[in-house]
PDB file of all heavy atoms in Angstrom:
ATOM      1  N   TYR A1256      81.273   3.128 -41.754  1.00  0.00           N
ATOM      2  CA  TYR A1256      81.356   2.971 -40.293  1.00  0.00           C
ATOM      3  C   TYR A1256      80.590   4.073 -39.565  1.00  0.00           C
ATOM      4  O   TYR A1256      79.990   3.822 -38.529  1.00  0.00           O
ATOM      5  CB  TYR A1256      82.840   2.967 -39.879  1.00  0.00           C
ATOM      6  CG  TYR A1256      83.086   2.788 -38.403  1.00  0.00           C
ATOM      7  CD1 TYR A1256      82.742   1.572 -37.778  1.00  0.00           C
ATOM      8  CD2 TYR A1256      83.658   3.784 -37.654  1.00  0.00           C
ATOM      9  CE1 TYR A1256      82.998   1.385 -36.415  1.00  0.00           C
ATOM     10  CE2 TYR A1256      83.908   3.588 -36.260  1.00  0.00           C
ATOM     11  CZ  TYR A1256      83.556   2.380 -35.675  1.00  0.00           C
ATOM     12  OH  TYR A1256      83.827   2.203 -34.333  1.00  0.00           O
ATOM     13  N   THR A1257      80.604   5.284 -40.141  1.00  0.00           N
ATOM     14  CA  THR A1257      79.969   6.399 -39.424  1.00  0.00           C
ATOM     15  C   THR A1257      78.468   6.285 -39.303  1.00  0.00           C
ATOM     16  O   THR A1257      77.840   6.903 -38.464  1.00  0.00           O
ATOM     17  CB  THR A1257      80.288   7.760 -40.123  1.00  0.00           C
ATOM     18  OG1 THR A1257      79.940   7.680 -41.502  1.00  0.00           O
ATOM     19  CG2 THR A1257      81.794   8.061 -40.015  1.00  0.00           C
ATOM     20  N   GLU A1258      77.838   5.474 -40.171  1.00  0.00           N
ATOM     21  CA  GLU A1258      76.373   5.243 -40.008  1.00  0.00           C
ATOM     22  C   GLU A1258      76.106   4.280 -38.873  1.00  0.00           C
ATOM     23  O   GLU A1258      74.952   4.213 -38.399  1.00  0.00           O
ATOM     24  CB  GLU A1258      75.783   4.704 -41.317  1.00  0.00           C
ATOM     25  CG  GLU A1258      75.819   5.691 -42.482  1.00  0.00           C
ATOM     26  CD  GLU A1258      75.032   6.969 -42.229  1.00  0.00           C
ATOM     27  OE1 GLU A1258      74.097   6.932 -41.399  1.00  0.00           O
ATOM     28  OE2 GLU A1258      75.385   7.997 -42.826  1.00  0.00           O
ATOM     29  N   PHE A1259      77.108   3.549 -38.449  1.00  0.00           N
ATOM     30  CA  PHE A1259      76.885   2.560 -37.384  1.00  0.00           C
ATOM     31  C   PHE A1259      76.452   3.218 -36.090  1.00  0.00           C
ATOM     32  O   PHE A1259      75.481   2.848 -35.454  1.00  0.00           O
ATOM     33  CB  PHE A1259      78.194   1.747 -37.185  1.00  0.00           C
ATOM     34  CG  PHE A1259      78.349   1.071 -35.873  1.00  0.00           C
ATOM     35  CD1 PHE A1259      77.306   0.302 -35.325  1.00  0.00           C
ATOM     36  CD2 PHE A1259      79.512   1.222 -35.128  1.00  0.00           C
ATOM     37  CE1 PHE A1259      77.470  -0.348 -34.093  1.00  0.00           C
ATOM     38  CE2 PHE A1259      79.674   0.571 -33.901  1.00  0.00           C
ATOM     39  CZ  PHE A1259      78.628  -0.187 -33.394  1.00  0.00           C
ATOM     40  N   GLN A1260      77.176   4.264 -35.653  1.00  0.00           N
ATOM     41  CA  GLN A1260      76.857   4.900 -34.377  1.00  0.00           C
ATOM     42  C   GLN A1260      75.456   5.454 -34.388  1.00  0.00           C
ATOM     43  O   GLN A1260      74.726   5.348 -33.385  1.00  0.00           O
ATOM     44  CB  GLN A1260      77.891   6.003 -34.082  1.00  0.00           C
ATOM     45  CG  GLN A1260      79.254   5.516 -33.665  1.00  0.00           C
ATOM     46  CD  GLN A1260      80.113   5.121 -34.863  1.00  0.00           C
ATOM     47  OE1 GLN A1260      79.717   5.149 -36.020  1.00  0.00           O
ATOM     48  NE2 GLN A1260      81.366   4.770 -34.573  1.00  0.00           N
ATOM     49  N   SER A1261      75.042   6.029 -35.499  1.00  0.00           N
ATOM     50  CA  SER A1261      73.693   6.629 -35.589  1.00  0.00           C
ATOM     51  C   SER A1261      72.618   5.562 -35.655  1.00  0.00           C
ATOM     52  O   SER A1261      71.546   5.687 -35.046  1.00  0.00           O
ATOM     53  CB  SER A1261      73.600   7.575 -36.781  1.00  0.00           C
ATOM     54  OG  SER A1261      74.049   6.942 -37.958  1.00  0.00           O
ATOM     55  N   GLN A1262      72.907   4.485 -36.407  1.00  0.00           N
ATOM     56  CA  GLN A1262      71.934   3.420 -36.464  1.00  0.00           C
ATOM     57  C   GLN A1262      71.777   2.726 -35.105  1.00  0.00           C
ATOM     58  O   GLN A1262      70.678   2.321 -34.740  1.00  0.00           O
ATOM     59  CB  GLN A1262      72.351   2.389 -37.516  1.00  0.00           C
ATOM     60  CG  GLN A1262      72.156   2.896 -38.929  1.00  0.00           C
ATOM     61  CD  GLN A1262      72.567   1.908 -40.024  1.00  0.00           C
ATOM     62  OE1 GLN A1262      72.550   2.257 -41.197  1.00  0.00           O
ATOM     63  NE2 GLN A1262      72.919   0.712 -39.660  1.00  0.00           N
ATOM     64  N   LEU A1263      72.872   2.642 -34.377  1.00  0.00           N
ATOM     65  CA  LEU A1263      72.797   2.029 -33.056  1.00  0.00           C
ATOM     66  C   LEU A1263      71.873   2.816 -32.132  1.00  0.00           C
ATOM     67  O   LEU A1263      71.105   2.225 -31.361  1.00  0.00           O
ATOM     68  CB  LEU A1263      74.202   1.899 -32.453  1.00  0.00           C
ATOM     69  CG  LEU A1263      74.332   1.184 -31.109  1.00  0.00           C
ATOM     70  CD1 LEU A1263      73.783  -0.219 -31.211  1.00  0.00           C
ATOM     71  CD2 LEU A1263      75.793   1.177 -30.638  1.00  0.00           C
ATOM     72  N   LEU A1264      71.934   4.153 -32.216  1.00  0.00           N
ATOM     73  CA  LEU A1264      71.128   4.961 -31.304  1.00  0.00           C
ATOM     74  C   LEU A1264      69.634   4.758 -31.548  1.00  0.00           C
ATOM     75  O   LEU A1264      68.822   4.965 -30.650  1.00  0.00           O
ATOM     76  CB  LEU A1264      71.478   6.437 -31.427  1.00  0.00           C
ATOM     77  CG  LEU A1264      71.014   7.227 -30.188  1.00  0.00           C
ATOM     78  CD1 LEU A1264      71.962   7.070 -29.035  1.00  0.00           C
ATOM     79  CD2 LEU A1264      70.740   8.673 -30.508  1.00  0.00           C
ATOM     80  N   GLU A1265      69.255   4.335 -32.747  1.00  0.00           N
ATOM     81  CA  GLU A1265      67.845   4.075 -33.027  1.00  0.00           C
ATOM     82  C   GLU A1265      67.252   3.084 -32.049  1.00  0.00           C
ATOM     83  O   GLU A1265      66.034   3.134 -31.732  1.00  0.00           O
ATOM     84  CB  GLU A1265      67.674   3.507 -34.462  1.00  0.00           C
ATOM     85  CG  GLU A1265      68.073   4.431 -35.561  1.00  0.00           C
ATOM     86  CD  GLU A1265      68.088   3.724 -36.903  1.00  0.00           C
ATOM     87  OE1 GLU A1265      67.488   2.584 -36.980  1.00  0.00           O
ATOM     88  OE2 GLU A1265      68.649   4.237 -37.874  1.00  0.00           O
ATOM     89  N   ARG A1266      68.089   2.173 -31.531  1.00  0.00           N
ATOM     90  CA  ARG A1266      67.596   1.086 -30.683  1.00  0.00           C
ATOM     91  C   ARG A1266      67.024   1.581 -29.362  1.00  0.00           C
ATOM     92  O   ARG A1266      66.228   0.908 -28.749  1.00  0.00           O
ATOM     93  CB  ARG A1266      68.698   0.056 -30.423  1.00  0.00           C
ATOM     94  CG  ARG A1266      69.302  -0.538 -31.714  1.00  0.00           C
ATOM     95  CD  ARG A1266      68.231  -1.136 -32.612  1.00  0.00           C
ATOM     96  NE  ARG A1266      68.745  -1.588 -33.877  1.00  0.00           N
ATOM     97  CZ  ARG A1266      68.977  -2.864 -34.179  1.00  0.00           C
ATOM     98  NH1 ARG A1266      68.750  -3.814 -33.250  1.00  0.00           N
ATOM     99  NH2 ARG A1266      69.406  -3.217 -35.361  1.00  0.00           N
ATOM    100  N   TRP A1267      67.448   2.781 -28.930  1.00  0.00           N
ATOM    101  CA  TRP A1267      66.941   3.295 -27.662  1.00  0.00           C
ATOM    102  C   TRP A1267      65.508   3.807 -27.741  1.00  0.00           C
ATOM    103  O   TRP A1267      64.871   3.975 -26.691  1.00  0.00           O
ATOM    104  CB  TRP A1267      67.925   4.343 -27.113  1.00  0.00           C
ATOM    105  CG  TRP A1267      69.008   3.738 -26.335  1.00  0.00           C
ATOM    106  CD1 TRP A1267      69.087   3.576 -24.984  1.00  0.00           C
ATOM    107  CD2 TRP A1267      70.226   3.173 -26.847  1.00  0.00           C
ATOM    108  NE1 TRP A1267      70.224   2.941 -24.611  1.00  0.00           N
ATOM    109  CE2 TRP A1267      70.962   2.669 -25.725  1.00  0.00           C
ATOM    110  CE3 TRP A1267      70.768   3.007 -28.127  1.00  0.00           C
ATOM    111  CZ2 TRP A1267      72.199   2.053 -25.877  1.00  0.00           C
ATOM    112  CZ3 TRP A1267      71.991   2.377 -28.242  1.00  0.00           C
ATOM    113  CH2 TRP A1267      72.696   1.922 -27.121  1.00  0.00           C
ATOM    114  N   LEU A1268      64.974   3.986 -28.933  1.00  0.00           N
ATOM    115  CA  LEU A1268      63.576   4.401 -29.078  1.00  0.00           C
ATOM    116  C   LEU A1268      62.640   3.339 -28.512  1.00  0.00           C
ATOM    117  O   LEU A1268      61.568   3.684 -27.979  1.00  0.00           O
ATOM    118  CB  LEU A1268      63.269   4.657 -30.571  1.00  0.00           C
ATOM    119  CG  LEU A1268      61.832   5.000 -30.915  1.00  0.00           C
ATOM    120  CD1 LEU A1268      61.375   6.278 -30.206  1.00  0.00           C
ATOM    121  CD2 LEU A1268      61.676   5.157 -32.442  1.00  0.00           C
ATOM    122  N   LEU A1269      63.034   2.095 -28.594  1.00  0.00           N
ATOM    123  CA  LEU A1269      62.191   0.991 -28.137  1.00  0.00           C
ATOM    124  C   LEU A1269      62.479   0.569 -26.711  1.00  0.00           C
ATOM    125  O   LEU A1269      61.959  -0.420 -26.266  1.00  0.00           O
ATOM    126  CB  LEU A1269      62.332  -0.191 -29.067  1.00  0.00           C
ATOM    127  CG  LEU A1269      61.179  -0.478 -30.051  1.00  0.00           C
ATOM    128  CD1 LEU A1269      61.483  -1.689 -30.920  1.00  0.00           C
ATOM    129  CD2 LEU A1269      59.866  -0.704 -29.326  1.00  0.00           C
ATOM    130  N   THR A1270      63.311   1.327 -26.008  1.00  0.00           N
ATOM    131  CA  THR A1270      63.568   0.926 -24.598  1.00  0.00           C
ATOM    132  C   THR A1270      62.414   1.359 -23.717  1.00  0.00           C
ATOM    133  O   THR A1270      61.730   2.339 -23.997  1.00  0.00           O
ATOM    134  CB  THR A1270      64.865   1.581 -24.094  1.00  0.00           C
ATOM    135  OG1 THR A1270      64.773   3.011 -24.193  1.00  0.00           O
ATOM    136  CG2 THR A1270      66.075   1.104 -24.898  1.00  0.00           C
ATOM    137  N   ASP A1271      62.214   0.636 -22.640  1.00  0.00           N
ATOM    138  CA  ASP A1271      61.075   0.902 -21.767  1.00  0.00           C
ATOM    139  C   ASP A1271      61.124   2.313 -21.167  1.00  0.00           C
ATOM    140  O   ASP A1271      60.094   2.964 -21.034  1.00  0.00           O
ATOM    141  CB  ASP A1271      61.033  -0.132 -20.618  1.00  0.00           C
ATOM    142  CG  ASP A1271      60.665  -1.529 -21.095  1.00  0.00           C
ATOM    143  OD1 ASP A1271      60.100  -1.643 -22.209  1.00  0.00           O
ATOM    144  OD2 ASP A1271      60.959  -2.500 -20.414  1.00  0.00           O
ATOM    145  N   ASP A1272      62.313   2.776 -20.847  1.00  0.00           N
ATOM    146  CA  ASP A1272      62.445   4.122 -20.258  1.00  0.00           C
ATOM    147  C   ASP A1272      61.874   5.209 -21.196  1.00  0.00           C
ATOM    148  O   ASP A1272      61.203   6.136 -20.762  1.00  0.00           O
ATOM    149  CB  ASP A1272      63.905   4.443 -19.934  1.00  0.00           C
ATOM    150  CG  ASP A1272      64.426   3.667 -18.741  1.00  0.00           C
ATOM    151  OD1 ASP A1272      64.243   2.448 -18.717  1.00  0.00           O
ATOM    152  OD2 ASP A1272      65.025   4.278 -17.865  1.00  0.00           O
ATOM    153  N   VAL A1273      62.187   5.068 -22.455  1.00  0.00           N
ATOM    154  CA  VAL A1273      61.680   6.037 -23.440  1.00  0.00           C
ATOM    155  C   VAL A1273      60.191   5.863 -23.658  1.00  0.00           C
ATOM    156  O   VAL A1273      59.436   6.836 -23.621  1.00  0.00           O
ATOM    157  CB  VAL A1273      62.453   5.889 -24.756  1.00  0.00           C
ATOM    158  CG1 VAL A1273      61.763   6.672 -25.886  1.00  0.00           C
ATOM    159  CG2 VAL A1273      63.876   6.384 -24.596  1.00  0.00           C
ATOM    160  N   ILE A1274      59.760   4.631 -23.845  1.00  0.00           N
ATOM    161  CA  ILE A1274      58.336   4.392 -24.134  1.00  0.00           C
ATOM    162  C   ILE A1274      57.448   4.840 -22.981  1.00  0.00           C
ATOM    163  O   ILE A1274      56.457   5.546 -23.184  1.00  0.00           O
ATOM    164  CB  ILE A1274      58.141   2.870 -24.413  1.00  0.00           C
ATOM    165  CG1 ILE A1274      58.744   2.479 -25.747  1.00  0.00           C
ATOM    166  CG2 ILE A1274      56.644   2.542 -24.414  1.00  0.00           C
ATOM    167  CD1 ILE A1274      58.739   1.003 -26.018  1.00  0.00           C
ATOM    168  N   ASN A1275      57.840   4.509 -21.760  1.00  0.00           N
ATOM    169  CA  ASN A1275      56.991   4.791 -20.612  1.00  0.00           C
ATOM    170  C   ASN A1275      56.955   6.272 -20.221  1.00  0.00           C
ATOM    171  O   ASN A1275      55.993   6.723 -19.571  1.00  0.00           O
ATOM    172  CB  ASN A1275      57.442   3.966 -19.406  1.00  0.00           C
ATOM    173  CG  ASN A1275      57.249   2.468 -19.654  1.00  0.00           C
ATOM    174  OD1 ASN A1275      56.380   2.063 -20.400  1.00  0.00           O
ATOM    175  ND2 ASN A1275      58.077   1.649 -19.021  1.00  0.00           N
ATOM    176  N   ASN A1276      57.977   7.016 -20.561  1.00  0.00           N
ATOM    177  CA  ASN A1276      58.093   8.381 -20.072  1.00  0.00           C
ATOM    178  C   ASN A1276      57.894   9.451 -21.172  1.00  0.00           C
ATOM    179  O   ASN A1276      57.521  10.596 -20.828  1.00  0.00           O
ATOM    180  CB  ASN A1276      59.452   8.624 -19.430  1.00  0.00           C
ATOM    181  CG  ASN A1276      59.598   7.804 -18.147  1.00  0.00           C
ATOM    182  OD1 ASN A1276      58.924   8.044 -17.155  1.00  0.00           O
ATOM    183  ND2 ASN A1276      60.464   6.812 -18.173  1.00  0.00           N
ATOM    184  N   TYR A1277      58.086   9.093 -22.411  1.00  0.00           N
ATOM    185  CA  TYR A1277      58.075  10.114 -23.454  1.00  0.00           C
ATOM    186  C   TYR A1277      57.110   9.842 -24.585  1.00  0.00           C
ATOM    187  O   TYR A1277      56.744  10.780 -25.315  1.00  0.00           O
ATOM    188  CB  TYR A1277      59.475  10.333 -24.016  1.00  0.00           C
ATOM    189  CG  TYR A1277      60.464  10.769 -22.952  1.00  0.00           C
ATOM    190  CD1 TYR A1277      61.293   9.843 -22.322  1.00  0.00           C
ATOM    191  CD2 TYR A1277      60.476  12.089 -22.505  1.00  0.00           C
ATOM    192  CE1 TYR A1277      62.191  10.257 -21.311  1.00  0.00           C
ATOM    193  CE2 TYR A1277      61.340  12.495 -21.517  1.00  0.00           C
ATOM    194  CZ  TYR A1277      62.185  11.573 -20.916  1.00  0.00           C
ATOM    195  OH  TYR A1277      63.023  11.977 -19.911  1.00  0.00           O
ATOM    196  N   LEU A1278      56.656   8.611 -24.734  1.00  0.00           N
ATOM    197  CA  LEU A1278      55.684   8.297 -25.789  1.00  0.00           C
ATOM    198  C   LEU A1278      54.305   8.396 -25.136  1.00  0.00           C
ATOM    199  O   LEU A1278      53.703   7.376 -24.737  1.00  0.00           O
ATOM    200  CB  LEU A1278      55.965   6.906 -26.380  1.00  0.00           C
ATOM    201  CG  LEU A1278      57.379   6.674 -26.933  1.00  0.00           C
ATOM    202  CD1 LEU A1278      57.397   5.398 -27.766  1.00  0.00           C
ATOM    203  CD2 LEU A1278      57.896   7.869 -27.722  1.00  0.00           C
ATOM    204  N   VAL A1279      53.842   9.640 -25.037  1.00  0.00           N
ATOM    205  CA  VAL A1279      52.554   9.909 -24.357  1.00  0.00           C
ATOM    206  C   VAL A1279      51.574  10.489 -25.359  1.00  0.00           C
ATOM    207  O   VAL A1279      51.924  11.150 -26.322  1.00  0.00           O
ATOM    208  CB  VAL A1279      52.764  10.885 -23.152  1.00  0.00           C
ATOM    209  CG1 VAL A1279      53.666  10.256 -22.119  1.00  0.00           C
ATOM    210  CG2 VAL A1279      53.329  12.223 -23.630  1.00  0.00           C
ATOM    211  N   HIS A1280      50.288  10.254 -25.087  1.00  0.00           N
ATOM    212  CA  HIS A1280      49.235  10.641 -25.992  1.00  0.00           C
ATOM    213  C   HIS A1280      49.144  12.167 -26.083  1.00  0.00           C
ATOM    214  O   HIS A1280      49.255  12.905 -25.107  1.00  0.00           O
ATOM    215  CB  HIS A1280      47.878  10.080 -25.530  1.00  0.00           C
ATOM    216  CG  HIS A1280      46.854  10.084 -26.621  1.00  0.00           C
ATOM    217  ND1 HIS A1280      46.109  11.198 -26.970  1.00  0.00           N
ATOM    218  CD2 HIS A1280      46.434   9.101 -27.453  1.00  0.00           C
ATOM    219  CE1 HIS A1280      45.298  10.895 -27.949  1.00  0.00           C
ATOM    220  NE2 HIS A1280      45.482   9.606 -28.258  1.00  0.00           N
ATOM    221  N   LYS A1281      48.895  12.624 -27.323  1.00  0.00           N
ATOM    222  CA  LYS A1281      48.913  14.084 -27.578  1.00  0.00           C
ATOM    223  C   LYS A1281      47.795  14.832 -26.837  1.00  0.00           C
ATOM    224  O   LYS A1281      47.912  16.008 -26.531  1.00  0.00           O
ATOM    225  CB  LYS A1281      48.784  14.370 -29.081  1.00  0.00           C
ATOM    226  CG  LYS A1281      47.457  13.956 -29.677  1.00  0.00           C
ATOM    227  CD  LYS A1281      47.196  14.679 -30.997  1.00  0.00           C
ATOM    228  CE  LYS A1281      45.782  14.455 -31.461  1.00  0.00           C
ATOM    229  NZ  LYS A1281      45.420  15.285 -32.619  1.00  0.00           N
ATOM    230  N   LYS A1282      46.692  14.146 -26.536  1.00  0.00           N
ATOM    231  CA  LYS A1282      45.536  14.811 -25.908  1.00  0.00           C
ATOM    232  C   LYS A1282      45.551  14.718 -24.388  1.00  0.00           C
ATOM    233  O   LYS A1282      45.343  15.738 -23.698  1.00  0.00           O
ATOM    234  CB  LYS A1282      44.246  14.252 -26.446  1.00  0.00           C
ATOM    235  CG  LYS A1282      43.981  14.653 -27.913  1.00  0.00           C
ATOM    236  CD  LYS A1282      42.647  14.112 -28.403  1.00  0.00           C
ATOM    237  CE  LYS A1282      42.363  14.560 -29.818  1.00  0.00           C
ATOM    238  NZ  LYS A1282      41.103  14.011 -30.365  1.00  0.00           N
ATOM    239  N   ASN A1283      45.795  13.526 -23.855  1.00  0.00           N
ATOM    240  CA  ASN A1283      45.678  13.375 -22.406  1.00  0.00           C
ATOM    241  C   ASN A1283      46.992  13.173 -21.696  1.00  0.00           C
ATOM    242  O   ASN A1283      47.024  13.066 -20.465  1.00  0.00           O
ATOM    243  CB  ASN A1283      44.692  12.235 -22.061  1.00  0.00           C
ATOM    244  CG  ASN A1283      45.165  10.908 -22.705  1.00  0.00           C
ATOM    245  OD1 ASN A1283      46.329  10.663 -22.905  1.00  0.00           O
ATOM    246  ND2 ASN A1283      44.176  10.047 -23.007  1.00  0.00           N
ATOM    247  N   GLY A1284      48.109  13.056 -22.466  1.00  0.00           N
ATOM    248  CA  GLY A1284      49.410  12.915 -21.815  1.00  0.00           C
ATOM    249  C   GLY A1284      49.657  11.551 -21.196  1.00  0.00           C
ATOM    250  O   GLY A1284      50.651  11.345 -20.508  1.00  0.00           O
ATOM    251  N   GLN A1285      48.723  10.605 -21.423  1.00  0.00           N
ATOM    252  CA  GLN A1285      48.880   9.258 -20.850  1.00  0.00           C
ATOM    253  C   GLN A1285      49.957   8.483 -21.614  1.00  0.00           C
ATOM    254  O   GLN A1285      50.034   8.559 -22.819  1.00  0.00           O
ATOM    255  CB  GLN A1285      47.545   8.519 -20.905  1.00  0.00           C
ATOM    256  CG  GLN A1285      46.492   9.100 -19.972  1.00  0.00           C
ATOM    257  CD  GLN A1285      46.926   9.020 -18.521  1.00  0.00           C
ATOM    258  OE1 GLN A1285      47.277   7.957 -18.001  1.00  0.00           O
ATOM    259  NE2 GLN A1285      46.863  10.174 -17.818  1.00  0.00           N
ATOM    260  N   PRO A1286      50.761   7.660 -20.900  1.00  0.00           N
ATOM    261  CA  PRO A1286      51.755   6.880 -21.578  1.00  0.00           C
ATOM    262  C   PRO A1286      51.139   5.818 -22.480  1.00  0.00           C
ATOM    263  O   PRO A1286      49.986   5.428 -22.292  1.00  0.00           O
ATOM    264  CB  PRO A1286      52.556   6.254 -20.439  1.00  0.00           C
ATOM    265  CG  PRO A1286      51.636   6.286 -19.259  1.00  0.00           C
ATOM    266  CD  PRO A1286      50.803   7.498 -19.446  1.00  0.00           C
TER     267      PRO A1286
END
């Protein structure tokens, strides 16, 4: 059961808020 909570949090990596604000290019900082 304890792996459930951590596996669930993985799903937020693919949310638009994360992608648009934090997945930015290493050189120019563009999303």
Side-chain angles (χ1 to χ4, degrees):
Y1256 182 65
T1257 55
E1258 294 299 334
F1259 159 50
Q1260 287 82 356
S1261 51
Q1262 287 180 186
L1263 184 59
L1264 199 81
E1265 297 172 14
R1266 303 305 175 103
W1267 273 265
L1268 176 60
L1269 255 179
T1270 59
D1271 291 340
D1272 288 49
V1273 168
I1274 290 172
N1275 295 333
N1276 294 292
Y1277 299 99
L1278 306 193
V1279 297
H1280 198 279
K1281 67 160 189 171
K1282 289 183 178 177
N1283 57 29
Q1285 292 298 307

